[in-house]
Amino acid sequence: MTKNGKKAIGILAIQGDFAMHARMLERVGVGWRLVKHARDLQGVDGLILPGGESTTMLKLFASEGMDKAIKDFAAQGKPIFGTCAGAILLATEVLNPPQERLGLIDMTVERNAYGRQIDSSVRFGECPELADHPVEMVFIRAPVIRRVGEGVRVLGRSDGLPVLVEAGQLLAATFHPELTQDETIHQYFVNKLGSDS
Amino acid sequence: MWENDQSMKLKVGLAEMLKGGVIMDVTSAEQARIAEEAGAVAVMALERVPADIRKEGGVARMASIKIIKEIMNAVTIPVMAKARIGHFVEAQVLEAVGVDYIDESEVLTPADEEHHIHKKSFKVPFVCGARNLGEALRRIGEGAAMIRTKGEAGSGNIVEAVRHLRAITREMRHLTTLREEELMAKAKELGAPLDLVKWVAEHGKLPVPNFSAGGIATPADAALVMQLGAEAVFVGSGIFKSADPAQRAKAIVRATTHYNEPQIVAECSEEVGEAMRGIDVSKLDQKELLQTRGW
C-alpha cells in the first residue's frame, strides 16, 4: 500500500513493455510503481509481469533473487498478471525450448508458437465472462498455451486456442492488452485487489 | 499515434518489448548463443562488426543468408539484420528469410544516396539511425518503427552517441515550447512531416521507441545513454572486440536495467576486463565517418 492507503500495483521493470502497462493502469486509475529488485515488492498489492524477452528476465532474476520473491508474493495470495513473456514465466512447463520458470500456473506454454515477427498479428477474440464485445488482441512473437491443468480456467480464446487463463489470483495472457485502448483485462485484474483500490 | 494502424502497432509493439534491454551485434551462431546466454533481448546478424568494416574497408553489404539462418536457428530471441540504405531488395530478401527486424544502416555502404527504403510497404519492422530530430522524423515518415540515435559505429567512443542523443532530446524539448502557428516553419526547417512534428510538440517524445547505438563499450557507457533518455541500447563491436565477450555482455545487460543505480553499475564495471581500445573520433577524416550516411 502507498502512504495514503491507496493500493498500488508493481510492474516488473527488468526489461520489456512495462511503460505500456503503466499507461494502462493510469487509464484504469490505479497506482503503480516499477519493480526492479525483490525489495520493491514490499508495499505493492499486485504485480504485473510484462511482455519482453523471458530469457533476459530469467537471467536477471537469478542475480536479484527475484524468482523466490515473486513465488513468496504469490504464496501470500497477492494477484499476479503476466502478459506474453510474463505468461511464459508463470507456467509450470515451457516448450521450444524448455527453460526455467516460476511454475505458478499449471499449464504448458510453447514459446514463439505462431512463428517469427512476420507471423505476429492483431486479432479479435472472445472473453465472454469479461466483456460482451470482441476483445482486441495483439500477438507479438506470442506463445501458445498447449495444456491447462485442473483448477485453471480459460477466460479468453482466439481461433479456438486459450489465450487468457486464470488460476485463483493469477492471470496470464498470451497477447498484449496493454498495447490497445481496451481496458477490459486490466480492469478485471485490478478488481482482484479487492476494495479501496 | 498508431491506434488505428495495425501494422505499426505490431512493429512498434515489438520495439516496446525490447525496451530496457541490450541488442548485440553477432557474426556467427556461436556468438549469438553467447549473447542470448548473457541476457541479450535480440541479436543483430552481420558479416563483420563495424570495427572490422572500418579497418578492412571494401563494400559492406547485407550478411550472408547462410549465416543469418544459422543465427536464427541458434537462438530464440529476435534476430535483426542490416540492409544497406536504400537497398530495398536486400530488405525484401531479409523479409523473405524471416528476420524479425531490419536495420537500414549507415554502417553498411549505402546503395542509394538520395532515397531510403519505403519501409511502410514491408510487413517486417525497420529500425533506422538518426543524428537529429529531422532525420528521425523523416525515417518514421518512411515507416521506421524504431529509431536508434547514431553514435560513431566501431569507434568504441561514446562521444558521438551522447552528442546525437542530446541533440534529439533538446530539439524535442524545444518543440514543446512552440506555438501551433510556429510548427509549419519548424517542420520546413527540420525537413520533417508536419503531422509528426505536431505529435512530438504535443507529447515531447518520438512516436516510436528511441534506442541508442554506436560507441558503447562499457557498462558505464550503457548507463550513460540510458540516463540521457535512451530506452534500450545496441552494442556492436564493444562486446566481441573486447577481451571477455561473455562477461562483458552480461555486465552491460545488468547495467542497462539498473542504469540509475551507481552501486550496481560499479559492480558491473568491476566484473569486466579490458574494453576495446577505441579511437578518437575527432582524429578521423570526415570521409571516414559512418554517421554522416543517411539523408
Side-chain angles (χ1 to χ4, degrees):
Chain A
M1 275 210 256
T2 55
K3 284 186 195 118
N4 60 12
K6 291 268 189 199
K7 293 201 173 177
I9 291 180
I11 309 171
L12 186 74
I14 286 177
Q15 182 281 315
D17 76 331
F18 47 87
M20 301 308 282
H21 279 285
R23 181 197 68 116
M24 195 51 109
L25 292 179
E26 298 269 339
R27 289 174 59 128
V28 172
V30 63
W32 57 272
R33 60 177 69 158
L34 298 182
V35 170
K36 288 196 179 189
H37 298 284
R39 62 173 183 271
D40 300 335
L41 286 172
Q42 290 163 12
V44 298
D45 307 280
L47 177 66
I48 289 179
L49 309 177
E53 288 304 317
S54 59
T55 53
T56 303
M57 295 182 201
L58 285 166
K59 302 292 173 214
L60 287 153
F61 273 9
S63 56
E64 313 295 333
M66 187 66 92
D67 38 2
K68 182 176 180 303
I70 295 175
K71 286 180 192 168
D72 290 347
F73 190 81
Q76 292 164 32
K78 293 185 177 169
I80 303 178
F81 176 26
T83 61
C84 196
I88 295 168
L89 293 175
L90 288 171
T92 47
E93 187 183 19
V94 180
L95 307 174
N96 189 32
Q99 66 182 32
E100 291 297 311
R101 63 269 163 202
L102 296 167
L104 293 171
I105 298 181
D106 182 12
M107 61 176 174
T108 302
V109 173
E110 180 183 343
R111 291 182 61 205
N112 299 330
Y114 294 92
R116 305 197 69 94
Q117 172 64 10
I118 201 97
D119 308 300
S120 293
S121 64
V122 179
R123 292 200 288 270
F124 286 82
E126 309 299 326
C127 302
E129 292 181 43
L130 277 58
D132 45 20
H133 60 271
V135 175
E136 184 182 4
M137 298 176 176
V138 182
F139 294 89
I140 296 179
R141 289 172 45 91
V144 165
I145 298 170
R146 293 294 181 201
R147 177 196 66 83
V148 293
E150 274 179 48
V152 178
R153 295 203 311 136
V154 176
L155 295 181
R157 287 181 188 277
S158 165
D159 295 328
L161 291 169
V163 293
L164 178 68
V165 300
E166 177 184 59
Q169 288 288 75
L170 308 175
L171 190 65
T174 59
F175 57 97
H176 295 283
E178 72 277 12
L179 295 184
T180 71
Q181 307 298 310
D182 188 341
E183 295 150 21
T184 303
I185 305 203
H186 282 78
Q187 185 63 61
Y188 182 79
F189 176 65
V190 167
N191 290 346
K192 285 181 177 292
L193 296 184
S195 51
D196 32 274
S197 56
Chain B
M1 181 91 197
W2 315 114
E3 286 80 17
N4 300 312
D5 184 336
Q6 298 210 340
S7 172
M8 273 303 268
K9 204 178 277 184
L10 291 169
K11 292 169 172 175
V12 174
L14 180 54
E16 292 286 344
M17 301 308 148
L18 304 176
K19 278 188 180 175
V22 181
I23 300 150
M24 302 182 192
D25 278 2
V26 298
T27 57
S28 67
E30 192 202 340
Q31 288 186 353
R33 275 190 288 266
I34 292 171
E36 183 177 50
E37 184 55 34
V41 290
V43 291
M44 174 76 71
L46 71 176
E47 205 136 71
R48 295 178 282 169
V49 293
D52 289 333
I53 292 173
R54 186 176 286 290
K55 203 162 64 190
E56 293 160 15
V59 175
R61 309 180 178 91
M62 168 181 80
S64 104
I65 297 303
K66 181 170 167 283
I67 291 175
I68 293 173
K69 282 187 168 170
E70 283 170 11
I71 290 170
M72 285 167 58
N73 288 329
V75 295
T76 62
I77 53 179
V79 175
M80 304 184 175
K82 288 181 191 289
R84 283 178 268 178
I85 290 173
H87 204 316
F88 54 87
V89 175
E90 279 189 351
Q92 290 166 1
V93 169
L94 292 173
E95 182 174 65
V97 171
V99 303
D100 298 294
Y101 238 95
I102 294 176
D103 183 2
E104 186 182 18
S105 177
E106 70 283 0
V107 168
L108 305 185
T109 311
D112 189 324
E113 295 192 332
E114 284 175 78
H115 307 107
H116 282 250
I117 297 169
H118 180 55
K119 294 167 274 290
K120 281 188 180 159
S121 63
F122 287 78
K123 201 177 170 201
V124 63
F126 280 76
V127 51
C128 286
R131 291 193 298 162
N132 53 54
L133 185 58
E135 195 176 359
L137 296 182
R138 285 194 293 279
R139 297 296 85 81
I140 297 167
E142 293 156 358
M146 180 201 301
I147 291 296
R148 50 172 177 74
T149 52
K150 293 177 186 172
E152 183 56 30
S155 70
N157 188 335
I158 197 69
V159 65
E160 298 301 301
V162 168
R163 186 194 319 280
H164 301 139
L165 195 49
R166 280 195 185 276
I168 289 179
T169 49
R170 185 169 51 234
E171 287 174 300
M172 290 196 292
R173 273 199 309 277
H174 174 63
L175 265 191
T176 64
T177 67
L178 296 183
R179 291 162 57 98
E180 193 164 3
E181 68 270 22
E182 295 171 323
L183 293 177
M184 179 60 91
K186 191 67 190 174
K188 184 183 170 197
E189 180 197 318
L190 290 171
L194 181 62
D195 61 326
L196 293 176
V197 171
K198 282 183 171 168
W199 196 93
V200 174
E202 193 183 331
H203 296 86
K205 60 181 186 120
L206 293 180
V208 303
N210 183 20
F211 295 3
S212 177
I216 295 164
T218 68
D221 286 348
L224 175 64
V225 293
M226 291 295 286
Q227 286 199 27
L228 285 171
E231 296 175 301
V233 300
F234 284 84
V235 185
S237 321
I239 289 173
F240 288 100
K241 281 287 156 190
S242 73
D244 52 350
Q247 189 67 30
R248 180 164 297 266
K250 220 170 122 186
I252 291 178
V253 166
R254 187 154 175 252
T256 301
T257 290
H258 299 291
Y259 64 92
N260 258 334
E261 297 168 81
Q263 190 57 47
I264 294 182
V265 179
E267 286 170 26
C268 297
S269 306
E270 195 178 347
E271 285 164 11
V272 295
E274 199 180 337
M276 69 180 280
R277 181 150 173 78
I279 44 186
D280 182 348
V281 179
S282 66
K283 301 251 162 58
L284 287 176
D285 225 20
Q286 190 66 27
K287 65 178 190 302
E288 293 178 90
L289 294 177
L290 302 176
Q291 57 176 274
T292 53
R293 297 166 168 179
W295 13 89

